[in-house]
Amino acid sequence: MEEKMEFMSNDVQKPASYGTSIKDGVDKFHFWRVFFKHYAYLVVTGLIYGPTIHLIIATKLALELVGAMTESLGLGPTYLINKMEEGAQVMAVNSYPRCPSPDMALGLPPHSDYSCLTILLQSSPGLEITDPGDGKWKIVPEFQGTLQVHVGDHLEVLSNGLYRSILHRGTVNSERTRISIASLHSLGMDEKMGTAKELVDDQHAEEYKESSFRDFLNFLSNNDIGEGKSFKSTLIRDKDMRT
């Protein structure tokens, strides 16, 4: 506990932090989890934390996937590679202990990730996503030894909505502790992500505002996502602002 307390912080911009909610003692809503979050790789500040092999493998996979996705958009496979290579990787290790009343608690509230991509490994089922067809929550089934990949807000912005970030939440259970390791990949701290100009024309208006990783952290500092506030909602342009 003494070691944990050294990292206990409500400062979402701190490179490494331990806690339970997003901002312990500040947010109104609290969740059934403990976590350790760290900026695993951030060229801007020269910070490197965590197991190097895992970081390298997760980053390599993220670059390959992003390259395939930008190629599918007609932008080419290297459209984001340089910026992603010099970007940020945030890792969060989450523990969701056994809960006596799982129907009355959540491990994490509904949200989408700010990043371009999130690569997730979980020890047991507990992640739920919304079905685009009916909007209902559905649990992601267990696939032993596999990684799950989520599209994040910034890739939705880049693609002008052709790719959609996934709304998801973390549930808890009364039988066993669930562990998840999430690796979030984005551009650098102050690098703005905007919609690719190649995807905007007279028939396709620019639907999103640009933003950076730091903009997201500032949003977290000033809002409680447990109240249902969404970073992505701040990026959607009003109809009269679309070009």
Side-chain angles (χ1 to χ4, degrees):
M1 182 55 68
E2 290 181 0
E3 293 179 358
K4 292 178 181 178
M5 293 308 295
E6 290 182 14
F7 291 96
M8 191 79 175
S9 175
N10 289 326
D11 183 359
V12 298
Q13 304 204 37
K14 189 174 180 180
S17 61
Y18 164 84
T20 57
S21 294
I22 305 299
K23 301 187 295 294
D24 288 296
V26 177
D27 291 342
K28 182 187 299 183
F29 294 92
H30 299 271
F31 305 101
W32 200 269
R33 72 158 183 166
V34 291
F35 71 90
F36 181 70
K37 180 200 72 178
H38 57 104
Y39 298 159
Y41 181 61
L42 192 57
V43 170
V44 174
T45 58
L47 297 172
I48 299 179
Y49 289 85
T52 304
I53 282 294
H54 185 86
L55 305 185
I56 292 173
I57 291 174
T59 298
K60 183 176 184 295
L61 175 59
L63 292 175
E64 290 179 356
L65 291 171
V66 167
M69 296 173 85
T70 56
E71 186 172 20
S72 75
L73 293 169
L75 303 174
T78 62
Y79 188 85
L80 279 181
I81 295 302
N82 289 340
K83 289 182 178 180
M84 292 285 290
E85 286 178 335
E86 298 180 356
Q89 179 183 6
V90 177
M91 296 195 69
V93 182
N94 300 291
S95 174
Y96 304 97
R98 289 182 295 173
C99 179
S101 301
D103 57 330
M104 299 178 64
L106 279 175
L108 272 176
H111 67 285
S112 58
D113 294 334
Y114 73 90
S115 57
C116 291
L117 286 181
T118 298
I119 298 172
L120 179 73
L121 177 66
Q122 59 177 353
S123 64
S124 59
L127 176 71
E128 290 188 339
I129 62 173
T130 52
D131 187 312
D134 57 23
K136 294 181 179 179
W137 288 104
K138 297 186 178 180
I139 195 161
V140 176
E142 184 171 17
F143 298 103
Q144 286 289 344
T146 61
L147 297 171
Q148 297 164 24
V149 179
H150 299 176
V151 172
D153 295 341
H154 275 174
L155 199 53
E156 178 171 333
V157 169
L158 174 76
S159 69
N160 208 26
L162 293 175
Y163 280 106
R164 296 283 182 177
S165 61
I166 187 71
L167 186 66
H168 58 285
R169 67 183 182 182
T171 62
V172 292
N173 68 83
S174 59
E175 299 178 357
R176 56 183 171 180
T177 294
R178 173 173 165 260
I179 303 293
S180 72
I181 303 174
S183 181
L184 296 90
H185 301 263
S186 68
L187 307 186
M189 183 69 76
D190 295 300
E191 183 77 34
K192 296 285 187 178
M193 174 67 86
T195 297
K197 300 306 179 185
E198 295 88 341
L199 302 178
V200 177
D201 55 34
D202 292 339
Q203 286 74 44
H204 304 90
E206 187 174 4
E207 298 186 5
Y208 302 87
K209 304 172 188 175
E210 63 177 19
S211 67
S212 66
F213 181 14
R214 192 180 303 277
D215 292 330
F216 168 73
L217 293 179
N218 290 337
F219 173 85
L220 275 189
S221 296
N222 297 311
N223 294 277
D224 182 350
I225 64 171
E227 294 181 323
K229 297 178 180 178
S230 162
F231 176 63
K232 186 169 74 172
S233 67
T234 68
L235 305 180
I236 299 174
R237 292 177 179 270
D238 296 332
K239 289 186 178 180
D240 58 356
M241 293 178 59
R242 297 178 182 177
T243 57

